[in-house]
């Protein structure tokens, strides 16, 4: 049911924890399944993500997608991190079962929420970044059917 990469990131998650005085912190959840994801970003003056940590309350797929998402944005610019989609997270994990696609959506939204927090704290606008939803299941049914 789950790929080896999903199992590896679930059993050995990368970048777990918190960052004190983080540049940006984003928390998102899915009321339908109960998953909650919080992402912490440490962004330097050149807009490079120096460090990223996460804390996730949820299923194994939620932990795995959080872990992979942190790996995909670490060392990247804000603009590059903004381009990390749920599809990119799923592809990096060699896929997810259709009923777990929402976990990859949560990971994408957590990145966006942390970037939004960073932008607000620094009074900047990040081109292409929209205010994140606090609960991502609103559009989930239609999106899951497209995979």
């Amino acid at each position: 049911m789950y790929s080896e990469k999903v199992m590896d990131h679930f059993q050995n998650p990368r970048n777990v924890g918190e960052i004190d005085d983080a540049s940006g912190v984003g928390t998102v959840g899915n009321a339908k399944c109960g998953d909650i994801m919080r992402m912490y970003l440490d962004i330097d003056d050149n807009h490079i993500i120096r460090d990223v940590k996460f804390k996730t309350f949820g299923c194994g797929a939620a932990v795995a997608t959080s872990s992979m998402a942190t790996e995909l944005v670490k060392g990247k610019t804000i603009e590059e991190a903004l381009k990390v989609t749920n599809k990119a997270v799923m592809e990096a994990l060699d896929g997810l079962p259709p009923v777990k696609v929402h976990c990859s959506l949560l990971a994408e939204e957590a990145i966006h929420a942390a970037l939004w927090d960073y932008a607000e704290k620094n009074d900047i606008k990040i081109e292409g970044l929209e205010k994140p939803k606090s609960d991502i299941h609103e559009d989930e049914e239609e999106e899951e059917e497209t995979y």
Side-chain angles (χ1 to χ4, degrees):
M1 187 165 153
Y2 290 110
S3 72
E4 285 184 33
K5 283 187 183 177
V6 171
M7 293 305 297
D8 182 39
H9 277 268
F10 167 61
Q11 293 171 336
N12 307 294
R14 282 62 150 187
N15 306 306
V16 175
E18 298 177 25
I19 296 175
D20 292 331
D21 299 320
S23 307
V25 180
T27 304
V28 295
N30 183 316
K32 186 175 171 185
C33 69
D35 294 333
I36 300 169
M37 203 174 281
R38 178 170 290 153
M39 192 143 323
Y40 302 81
L41 300 176
D42 178 21
I43 302 171
D44 70 16
D45 294 337
N46 296 316
H47 293 193
I48 305 285
I49 298 170
R50 278 188 301 222
D51 198 11
V52 55
K53 301 276 187 210
F54 80 91
K55 284 192 148 184
T56 293
F57 176 84
C59 65
V63 172
T65 56
S66 302
S67 174
M68 181 54 82
T70 63
E71 291 286 282
L72 293 174
V73 301
K74 196 174 201 173
K76 301 284 195 288
T77 66
I78 289 171
E79 292 74 24
E80 290 168 329
L82 191 56
K83 293 177 184 166
V84 173
T85 64
N86 72 300
K87 288 181 184 175
V89 172
M90 285 195 303
E91 285 171 13
L93 288 168
D94 294 336
L96 286 172
V99 297
K100 295 299 181 178
V101 169
H102 67 274
C103 294
S104 64
L105 292 167
L106 260 183
E108 178 183 336
E109 282 297 314
I111 294 166
H112 291 185
L115 289 171
W116 183 268
D117 183 51
Y118 169 75
E120 286 204 321
K121 285 179 179 175
N122 292 280
D123 200 27
I124 61 171
K125 179 168 177 22
I126 299 172
E127 196 64 39
L129 180 63
E130 296 177 15
K131 185 169 181 157
K133 303 170 194 162
S134 57
D135 183 349
I136 63 111
H137 89 279
E138 299 157 19
D139 304 318
E140 182 182 304
E141 282 74 21
E142 300 115 48
E143 294 204 28
E144 281 191 6
E145 291 172 13
T146 62
Y147 294 102

